[in-house]
Amino acid sequence: MTGSVNYGDRIPNNVDLGRDRVLQRALEHWQPQYMGWWYDMGPAESRGYDVYLRTAISVEPEGWAVFDYVKMPDYRWGIFLAPPEADRAINFGVNKGRQVWSEVPGEYRSPLRRLIVTQGDTEPASVEQQRMLGMSCPSLYDLRNIYQVNVEEGRHLWAMVYLLHRYFGRDGREEAEALLERRSGDEDNPRILGAFNEPTPDWLAFYMFTFFTDRDGKFQLASLAESGFDPLARTCRFMLTEEAHHMFVGETGVGRIVQRTADVMAEHKIENPDQVRDLGVIDLPTIQRYLNFHYSVTLDLFGSEVSSNAATFFTNGLKGRYHETAIQDDHVLAEAMYDVGDVAGGNVASKDVPALSALNARLRDDYIGEVQAGVDRWNRHIEHAGLPYRLTLPHKGFHRAIGYFADHHISPEGRVLTDDEWERGSRAWLPSERDYAFVQSLMSGRVVEPGKFANWIAPPRTGINRQPLDFQYVRFN
Ligand SMILES: [Fe+2]
Ligand SMILES: [Fe+2]
């Protein structure tokens, strides 16, 4: 980039970038590093492809409908904040009722920076995790969808970097560089949160990730969208519009795999997983094991059930609850209690703690309600095929590494287990090497003929932007 660049064109934005010299200088320095990261860690071998992508060019609804073929390195990563609300007040905590902050309050500088960096770190992490999947896509439609998710996660990184550059001075610029230096799964310099260092080795894992883990992103963004720091709130509100598509990709992706398996089982009147595998589709118990894994590592992302940090973020008005403004209570949580659950006397039992300290648990419970509804929709495919099998969410204490349950082995049904019982059982509850190898074996190459879909997944009901299913969603050139 040079000083003569037309910012509105090159970086679509509604933050008056063309007139903000300080921000321009920071971004001019960062942007080539970002492109270096994209070439190294973005989707493999995709540089020259024309991809039918949606680009946000404004925050108006019609600014969203811009679909065209784009080479991904030329994608216009823009900076957008939802429009300001006049006279918006802080809705919770000790600052409740005061005008929101348009600059960072000095006393909250460090926790705000931490919240922004932690959110920002997840965005490039998922791109890194998904880097190789384009090489084994089940269709052009799915290939285009993963690329759409990848460029938007890139834009989410830009969104957080904008906040760091614009509001946090030199520390912000250093944090923005560090966001490009950490690497998912790297032993020396890993991403900040555990689930973002797990591999995403295949498309079943990708759809599970976008269903479960991107949805954690949605809940975190929704809580930050309540923030008293108005630029953060407005940035997150705009990001949520993109996040919805990622979860659509995840839910329909798993749903189409379940549907295909159920249809094949019904057609051939078989239920034995080995026989199901012989027909080149993923058996339902393997799908359940993937679900158990992705669900449990995602629950860890919400943090410890009881957290003084979460309480401080809330009390100070930095991070609210899910749909805070719509909740009917005092928004201060002076007296309220909340049941976080714990292990007592060898059983899972309820445990009431001050609600203010249990905000992570509460956000996680809101999340669990939403994922349960998605699992119910997957089960309808199995039900329609006339099969008795049902996918279930394991108990929230199952396979946890963070919080009260981390010190215990809990079965999917919620029973406290001995080490031996866990050893024996976990082989049936979590994906094995054999499961991963089988799923890999189905995805050894990519399906690129327009309108064709791999055998292990059903076609979607409709195409993207009302295009037909046999549309050329990606041109390889
Ligand atoms: Fe994101
Ligand atoms: Fe996402």
Side-chain angles (χ1 to χ4, degrees), residues 119 123 152-153 156 214 239 243 246:
Q119 178 62 40
E123 315 290 355
E152 286 175 352
E153 299 305 5
H156 290 177
D214 273 75
M239 290 164 76
E243 215 56 71
H246 306 179

Side-chain angles (χ1 to χ4, degrees), residues 24-80:
Q24 283 173 26
R25 269 199 300 278
L27 282 175
E28 278 168 23
H29 187 73
W30 186 80
Q31 193 268 358
Q33 298 175 37
Y34 172 80
M35 290 313 298
W37 168 81
W38 179 266
Y39 286 129
D40 286 350
M41 298 313 297
E45 296 187 20
S46 63
R47 202 188 265 223
Y49 302 170
D50 292 310
V51 187
Y52 187 69
L53 291 177
R54 176 181 78 169
T55 305
I57 57 158
S58 84
V59 296
E60 310 307 322
E62 62 276 20
W64 255 115
V66 181
F67 281 85
D68 204 356
Y69 285 103
V70 178
K71 289 188 176 36
M72 282 187 285
D74 301 333
Y75 185 80
R76 296 189 301 150
W77 282 285
I79 300 170
F80 292 107

